[in-house]
Amino acid sequence: MMPLTPSPKAILNSLCKEFLSVNVSAILYLMNYEKYGRSTASAQYFLQLAGYLGIPVIAWNADNSGLERRASQSSLQLQLAPSLEHQTAAMLSILERYKWHQFSIVTSQIAGHDDFIQAVRERITEMQDRFKFTILNAVLYTKASDLVTLVNSESRVMLLYCTREEAIHILNHARELKITGENYVWVAAQSVIATGTPPTQFPVGMLGVHFDTSSTSLVTEITTAIKVYAYGVEDFVNDPRNANLSLNTKLSCEGAGLGDSRWETGDRFYKYLRNVSVENDMGKPNVEFTADGVLKAAELKIMNLRPGNNKQMMVWEEIGVWKSWEGEGLDIKDIVWPGNSHTPPQGVPEKFHLKITFLEEPPYVQLAPPDPVTVKCNMNRGVLCRVAREQDVAEMDQFSAHRNSSFYQCCSGFCIDLLEKFAEELGFTYELVRVEDGKWGTFENGRWNGLVADLINRKTDMVMTSLMINSEREGVVDFTVPFMETGIAIAVAKRTGIISPTAFLEPFDTASWMLVGVVAIQAATFTIFLFEWLSPAGFDMKVKVATANRCLEGVLSADGLVVLQVTPAANHRFSLFRTYWLVWAVLFQAAVHVDSPRGFTSKFMTNMWAMFAVVFLAIYTANLAAFMITREEFHEFTGVDDSRLSKPYSHKPMFKFGTTPYSHTDSTIKRYFVEMHAYMRNFNRTSVQEGIAAVNSGELDAFIYDGTVLDYLVAQDEDCRLLTVGSWYAKTGYGLAFSRNSKYVQMFNKRLLDFRENGDLERLRRYWMTGTCKPGKQEHKTSDPLALEQFLSAFLLLMSGVLLAAILLFFEHIYFKYIRVKCAKTDQGGCCALLSLVSQSMGKSLTFRGAVFEAQDILRHHRCKDPICDTNLWKTRHELDLTRLRVLQLERSLDAHGIKPPARHINAPHAGVLMHHRDMTRNHVFTNEFGSRCYRPDEREVQEMETVL
């Protein structure tokens, strides 16, 4: 036998002498505190020692069931009584039954109070799919002032976990704080209810969970515990794997090592005890345990504190039962509710009334007249609000006042929808009243005005509009957390109908134009000229300089043929400046006369430049249309601190800009930009709508105001001419404002955070802040100039052409210096002859004289092998005959008028010889190798030479 409150030494001696000495393999710990008293510390110490020794414990604790199992951190306990998890599940089932979503938890410093709170949270997580709970407060009671938190809370339902004695003090103080009335429900755990007559401090209508803790029940549980032990031993012994293991602990408190202080087989034996299944009576499920050693199936009674037969006495009466195995079902009959009411309380604060002041500002609060027939606001028009002064409507009947739109209008907008959500969640009624002086609230002439003044003078309970939070206002009123971020922004209008005078240069950026003009054109010009100079088949500039003053003249020979001879000329036809003309003409595809190079390499380089020009013009023309359209220009300010605004006199002409007086924007500018504030007084507008209209009409260059409001008005602009520019200045937020030390601040703060977390604020913002036009800064141009990297491929093409042309120049020199000379000497019909024919043909094609030789050879041998060639040849001869006849006719006409015709270069009798017997061994062809000052053949001679070619 031990005393009810043994000392730790006594508990240790009892274990060493009475338990370990007889080799116990399990301990049955059954205790009824309600009858035999309480000693939580000693019980906890005892169970901790048992766990340290590795001896399994089968427990039944009538008072704090499951408490010691958690507190002792022992993993070798089996709990036969309903655990804390079962109790919290039953208590939350009551809350779910009556739709009480929010509650508070009140505990004392009883051992395991943290476990109780944790069990509640875990149960809420399990139930969140079907029912959402919110824990408003978790109060640890140590003194009476701890309960003040519940007074200022919205909670009307409390879960109480403590001892019976502690509950008397808690509920006595709660009664003094008036939180035990008819609107408050207290739900107690098993340890509070206990047995016997309830204390008078307990309020009528309390609810609680309970299970049988009588002595009879204790005896019954002893039988169950023995069965659990017996079935565990049987399963352990019958398992062949345990043949070499014994249930004798062989532990001693006198051992020197750890091996003698813990029973290693205890963990294994505990698993067999945990897996047993004991049949139960009266159709209840078998006694089985979870992996944590807790009963799988438990039954709890739902108790209600109500007046007994003697009206002065209170009794706990069973009104229902909770069974975990029946879907955790709850069966409850008639309940006496707090205040002897027969209807359950709401579980939320009773409705209260608030006077709310506002000032209209779209999209937060906007006004519209009510329906003229019903004198009510439609769903899309919001709620009825008073816009007149209180004394103006004091003597009027309500119906007449509502019909007059100058007294009452319909308020709608972001803040009104948010207010409706608050009213629904918190359960209050309200009256919306417009501030009388129509000002936001600034400190002027030693006093506050507008909305802030109403709060300071306590003419209103709350301000609900787009009231910006700043340090001055926070010094005199209380704000909630911001429901929307904002700052000072600038609105400007776009000026249309302007085309940039440099639009034709804008398809490319400056770097690209510089690369084309300075690098590409110069590189192409000098490479073409250089390749022509160095090419063997090109103009020999050294030779041509000596004959620079020579050109061809046509002379009639003795046999009547036209002979072309070289005569002095003024200049050379292919020079550096003519190369520039060729490059520019090819680049812009100009239809003008150009001089082409003669060398093969320079011709190839000219073709590469032509390819570059094609790419350049294609890209240029493709992008030019985007820059030749009508532009939309606007004043692009960087922000309020832009020097053109903050120092208005520094820019000529000065910009015209303003804001609305007595607003947050006006007071901020007045504080930080004195010169700017003084300048813009002449341009201020009484309302935001007037300011936006002035910007649209051109009366103002810019309007400065709250960023979110300007974004909304920009989005609503029908012509989409408005936009906001620059970054926000003095960023802050909009908040709900209350009088100093208002009891509603915490209530609304918590709801605002919930709305932000669940996305309600974001949904409202998207609904009210959208419009036809997108707000924010827009670009000046619809297209951006092409940067150098986007045009780089064309330059790579040109550079590749230069490199390839240089390689071809090298091979051209090799060909003319070695291969052509060698192949010209060998004409034996072999491979070299074949190469010679090809090379000679190429050599001819590389020069104008070679082309003449080719034409002479064709005419000499008449190598026409198809009818088309013969037809062309006959046609040419026929045209020559007609020309000859025309010449004769002109000569006769001159003779008839007494005019002697000039000497002809081509005699008629010998004209036909031109096509048949010309001496082709000499160069008789007029070329473009010389200057333009030389004698030119007439048209007939040119036609004859073209025919020959």
Side-chain angles (χ1 to χ4, degrees):
M1 293 293 293
M2 293 180 61
L4 290 178
T5 56
S7 64
K9 183 177 181 180
I11 295 174
L12 182 60
N13 291 333
S14 176
L15 277 174
C16 293
K17 297 178 181 179
E18 300 178 12
F19 289 87
L20 300 185
S21 60
V22 294
N23 293 324
V24 295
S25 55
I27 298 176
L28 305 183
Y29 184 85
L30 293 91
M31 183 64 187
N32 188 340
Y33 291 129
E34 297 172 5
K35 184 173 182 179
Y36 299 104
R38 157 187 304 279
S39 179
T40 304
S42 58
Q44 190 171 339
Y45 180 60
F46 177 81
L47 293 174
Q48 285 179 342
L49 288 177
Y52 175 77
L53 295 172
I55 301 176
V57 176
I58 304 173
W60 185 84
N61 306 322
D63 196 359
N64 309 65
S65 54
L67 163 65
E68 288 79 8
R69 179 184 64 81
R70 285 175 173 255
S72 64
Q73 299 296 318
S74 173
S75 60
L76 303 181
Q77 288 189 43
L78 298 178
Q79 182 57 257
L80 293 174
S83 64
L84 289 178
E85 288 83 356
H86 293 131
Q87 294 187 48
T88 55
M91 296 166 79
L92 292 178
S93 295
I94 298 174
L95 271 61
E96 181 183 7
R97 171 73 176 269
Y98 295 101
K99 308 299 181 185
W100 296 330
H101 289 270
Q102 56 189 26
F103 62 92
S104 295
I105 302 174
V106 181
T107 67
S108 66
Q109 290 183 313
I110 182 176
H113 63 275
D114 290 332
D115 296 332
F116 179 82
I117 297 175
Q118 182 61 28
V120 173
R121 296 186 186 277
E122 292 174 357
R123 183 62 182 173
I124 288 175
T125 303
E126 295 174 4
M127 299 177 63
Q128 64 181 356
D129 293 336
R130 71 172 190 267
F131 196 83
K132 184 179 180 180
F133 284 108
T134 302
I135 301 177
L136 299 179
N137 305 97
V139 179
L140 177 62
Y141 176 84
T142 57
K143 55 185 180 299
S145 60
D146 295 333
L147 298 180
V148 176
T149 305
L150 299 178
V151 177
N152 299 324
S153 172
E154 304 172 39
S155 179
R156 297 297 181 265
V157 179
M158 286 76 169
L159 304 187
L160 181 60
Y161 178 72
C162 59
T163 64
R164 179 174 173 175
E165 293 75 15
E166 292 168 337
I168 295 174
H169 296 288
I170 292 174
L171 293 174
N172 188 39
H173 292 307
R175 185 190 302 272
E176 295 174 359
L177 295 174
K178 299 180 180 181
I179 53 175
T180 59
E182 60 180 357
N183 295 318
Y184 293 84
V185 181
W186 291 77
V187 183
Q190 160 69 26
S191 58
V192 176
I193 296 178
T195 58
T197 303
T200 57
Q201 291 83 358
F202 286 10
V204 177
M206 278 187 67
L207 298 175
V209 294
H210 181 63
F211 58 91
D212 191 2
T213 58
S214 61
S215 300
T216 304
S217 178
L218 177 61
V219 174
T220 303
E221 296 300 332
I222 292 175
T223 305
T224 303
I226 294 175
K227 288 182 181 180
V228 171
Y229 175 74
Y231 290 166
V233 171
E234 182 180 5
D235 294 340
F236 181 87
V237 173
N238 293 335
D239 192 341
R241 294 174 296 181
N242 303 324
N244 298 327
L245 299 177
S246 173
L247 292 178
N248 293 327
T249 59
K250 297 181 181 179
L251 295 176
S252 174
C253 294
E254 306 299 329
L258 292 177
D260 297 330
S261 62
R262 181 174 176 83
W263 184 34
E264 299 298 336
T265 311
D267 295 327
R268 189 181 185 92
F269 181 50
Y270 171 74
K271 295 179 181 179
Y272 287 92
L273 294 175
R274 188 182 61 194
N275 294 331
V276 300
S277 179
V278 180
E279 295 183 359
N280 214 329
D281 299 333
M282 297 179 294
K284 297 180 180 179
N286 293 347
V287 176
E288 297 177 349
F289 302 94
T290 65
D292 295 331
V294 177
L295 275 179
K296 290 183 178 180
E299 178 180 321
L300 290 169
K301 300 176 183 178
I302 307 299
M303 309 298 289
N304 180 217
L305 186 62
R306 59 177 64 193
N309 294 330
N310 185 353
K311 297 297 182 179
Q312 295 180 352
M313 295 187 60
M314 309 293 293
V315 295
W316 287 106
E317 183 174 340
E318 180 180 347
I319 58 170
V321 65
W322 177 85
K323 299 177 181 179
S324 63
W325 64 88
E326 293 183 356
E328 300 180 355
L330 180 65
D331 183 17
I332 298 180
K333 56 184 180 180
D334 294 337
I335 299 177
V336 174
W337 296 105
N340 290 314
S341 174
H342 296 285
T343 58
Q346 296 290 329
V348 293
E350 61 278 7
K351 286 187 179 295
F352 54 94
H353 186 79
L354 294 177
K355 181 180 180 181
I356 301 175
T357 308
F358 71 92
L359 186 59
E360 69 275 10
E361 184 170 71
Y364 296 98
V365 179
Q366 49 195 14
L367 300 177
D371 187 273
V373 178
T374 61
V375 197
K376 294 182 179 179
C377 297
N378 299 331
M379 291 296 294
N380 59 343
R381 292 196 176 187
V383 298
L384 204 64
C385 54
R386 177 164 60 85
V387 296
R389 296 183 301 175
E390 186 173 359
Q391 55 267 31
D392 294 338
V393 297
E395 299 180 358
M396 296 184 63
D397 62 281
Q398 187 175 6
F399 184 79
S400 300
H402 288 178
R403 292 184 63 89
N404 192 335
S405 60
S406 61
F407 293 157
Y408 282 90
Q409 290 198 14
C410 294
C411 289
S412 62
F414 178 95
C415 288
I416 302 303
D417 287 354
L418 184 60
L419 179 61
E420 286 289 289
K421 290 190 66 65
F422 279 124
E424 180 182 356
E425 295 284 340
L426 301 178
F428 63 86
T429 58
Y430 58 87
E431 176 190 9
L432 271 175
V433 180
R434 187 182 186 275
V435 63
E436 293 184 359
D437 61 2
K439 297 179 181 179
W440 291 98
T442 55
F443 192 72
E444 296 287 340
N445 300 322
R447 57 185 302 177
W448 286 90
N449 57 25
L451 297 170
V452 177
D454 281 3
L455 288 172
I456 295 175
N457 299 328
R458 300 192 179 274
K459 292 182 179 180
T460 184
D461 298 312
M462 181 177 74
V463 169
M464 184 71 173
T465 184
S466 53
L467 184 64
M468 296 183 73
I469 303 172
N470 58 34
S471 57
E472 294 83 3
R473 292 171 180 171
E474 282 186 312
V476 293
V477 298
D478 288 340
F479 282 97
T480 61
V481 294
F483 60 82
M484 180 79 71
E485 293 184 352
T486 187
I488 300 176
I490 306 171
V492 297
K494 292 178 284 189
R495 299 171 295 161
T496 58
I498 300 175
I499 298 180
S500 174
T502 60
F504 70 98
L505 294 176
E506 294 179 4
F508 297 108
D509 60 4
T510 304
S512 298
W513 280 118
M514 293 295 293
L515 198 59
V516 171
V518 178
V519 179
I521 294 178
Q522 309 304 323
T525 301
F526 280 94
T527 51
I528 293 175
F529 182 76
L530 183 63
F531 289 153
E532 179 66 17
W533 181 293
L534 300 177
S535 175
F539 290 101
D540 188 355
M541 300 300 179
K542 296 180 181 180
V543 177
K544 299 306 179 184
V545 170
T547 61
N549 295 323
R550 298 172 181 270
C551 64
L552 292 178
E553 286 186 354
V555 181
L556 183 65
S557 64
D559 56 357
L561 297 179
V562 176
V563 178
L564 303 180
Q565 61 184 14
V566 178
T567 59
N571 61 344
H572 192 276
R573 287 186 59 83
F574 196 80
S575 63
L576 179 62
F577 293 102
R578 297 180 187 275
T579 308
Y580 269 111
W581 181 252
L582 170 65
V583 169
W584 280 99
V586 172
L587 178 62
F588 295 108
Q589 298 182 0
V592 296
H593 176 73
V594 295
D595 298 321
S596 301
R598 195 170 69 176
F600 175 76
T601 306
S602 54
K603 288 180 179 179
F604 175 80
M605 188 60 219
T606 304
N607 288 331
M608 294 303 299
W609 174 250
M611 292 178 62
F612 172 84
V614 168
V615 176
F616 171 79
L617 287 178
I619 298 176
Y620 178 79
T621 54
N623 288 273
L624 182 61
F627 293 89
M628 295 301 291
I629 60 176
T630 301
R631 297 303 173 85
E632 294 178 340
E633 299 290 338
F634 57 89
H635 300 297
E636 187 172 4
F637 300 106
T638 59
V640 176
D641 52 354
D642 192 302
S643 60
R644 293 171 292 177
L645 300 178
S646 60
K647 299 179 180 179
Y649 300 101
S650 63
H651 184 273
K652 302 295 182 180
M654 293 179 291
F655 290 100
K656 296 177 292 184
F657 57 91
T659 185
T660 58
Y662 306 110
S663 62
H664 167 77
T665 303
D666 183 64
S667 60
T668 302
I669 294 176
K670 181 179 180 181
R671 170 178 292 187
Y672 298 106
F673 304 98
V674 179
E675 180 184 359
M676 176 181 175
H677 182 266
Y679 169 79
M680 60 192 294
R681 282 180 179 175
N682 298 328
F683 305 105
N684 285 343
R685 296 296 187 267
T686 56
S687 67
V688 183
Q689 287 73 17
E690 290 184 12
I692 292 297
V695 172
N696 249 328
S697 63
E699 297 178 18
L700 292 181
D701 296 315
F703 185 75
I704 306 173
Y705 200 66
D706 295 352
T708 56
V709 177
L710 293 182
D711 284 344
Y712 169 77
L713 295 176
V714 165
Q716 299 297 321
D717 184 36
E718 295 181 356
D719 298 329
C720 294
R721 293 185 60 246
L722 295 174
L723 67 155
T724 56
V725 296
S727 58
W728 283 359
Y729 183 81
K731 288 186 178 180
T732 180
Y734 297 127
L736 280 63
F738 297 86
S739 301
R740 272 295 189 194
N741 302 319
S742 174
K743 63 179 181 180
Y744 303 114
V745 177
Q746 185 179 0
M747 184 187 309
F748 280 84
N749 258 337
K750 183 173 180 54
R751 288 301 174 190
L752 264 179
L753 295 175
D754 292 341
F755 294 157
R756 180 179 297 174
E757 182 180 356
N758 59 29
D760 287 340
L761 283 179
E762 179 62 20
R763 282 188 288 270
L764 287 176
R765 187 193 67 80
R766 291 183 179 180
Y767 178 80
W768 285 104
M769 298 296 174
T770 56
T772 306
C773 301
K774 292 184 178 180
K777 179 181 176 181
Q778 301 181 12
E779 297 296 332
H780 278 278
K781 306 169 184 177
T782 57
S783 301
D784 291 328
L786 292 178
L788 181 59
E789 56 271 13
Q790 297 171 296
F791 190 49
L792 193 59
S793 59
F795 292 100
L796 294 178
L797 172 66
L798 182 61
M799 295 304 298
S800 301
V802 172
L803 296 177
L804 185 58
I807 297 173
L808 291 177
L809 178 64
F810 172 76
F811 284 108
E812 188 178 6
H813 275 278
I814 297 296
Y815 169 77
F816 276 93
K817 189 173 183 180
Y818 301 105
I819 301 177
R820 184 181 180 188
V821 175
K822 184 176 180 180
C823 291
K825 296 179 180 179
T826 59
D827 192 10
Q828 306 300 327
C831 296
C832 187
L834 178 61
L835 180 60
S836 176
L837 292 174
V838 176
S839 63
Q840 290 178 8
S841 176
M842 180 182 295
K844 293 176 182 179
S845 66
L846 291 176
T847 63
F848 188 78
R849 181 175 297 181
V852 174
F853 289 160
E854 185 72 17
Q856 291 175 351
D857 189 58
I858 292 175
L859 293 175
R860 184 179 301 165
H861 298 286
H862 302 288
R863 293 181 297 180
C864 287
K865 297 182 180 181
D866 56 82
I868 297 176
C869 178
D870 291 335
T871 301
N872 292 335
L873 186 59
W874 175 85
K875 182 179 179 181
T876 304
R877 290 173 179 173
H878 180 68
E879 291 177 353
L880 288 176
D881 291 338
L882 293 177
T883 304
R884 182 188 60 188
L885 294 175
R886 179 61 178 164
V887 171
L888 292 175
Q889 291 176 0
L890 293 174
E891 289 178 351
R892 291 190 186 102
S893 298
L894 292 174
D895 289 339
H897 290 82
I899 300 174
K900 185 178 179 180
R904 287 182 295 156
H905 298 288
I906 303 176
N907 294 328
H910 301 90
V913 183
L914 179 65
M915 303 302 300
H916 300 284
H917 306 290
R918 296 191 62 180
D919 183 8
M920 308 303 290
T921 61
R922 296 168 59 195
N923 184 8
H924 298 158
V925 180
F926 185 90
T927 71
N928 67 342
E929 299 180 16
F930 307 99
S932 60
R933 301 182 189 177
C934 301
Y935 165 77
R936 300 294 186 187
D938 58 18
E939 183 179 356
R940 182 178 59 185
E941 291 173 331
V942 173
Q943 290 178 352
E944 290 180 1
M945 285 186 289
E946 289 178 350
T947 303
V948 172
L949 296 178

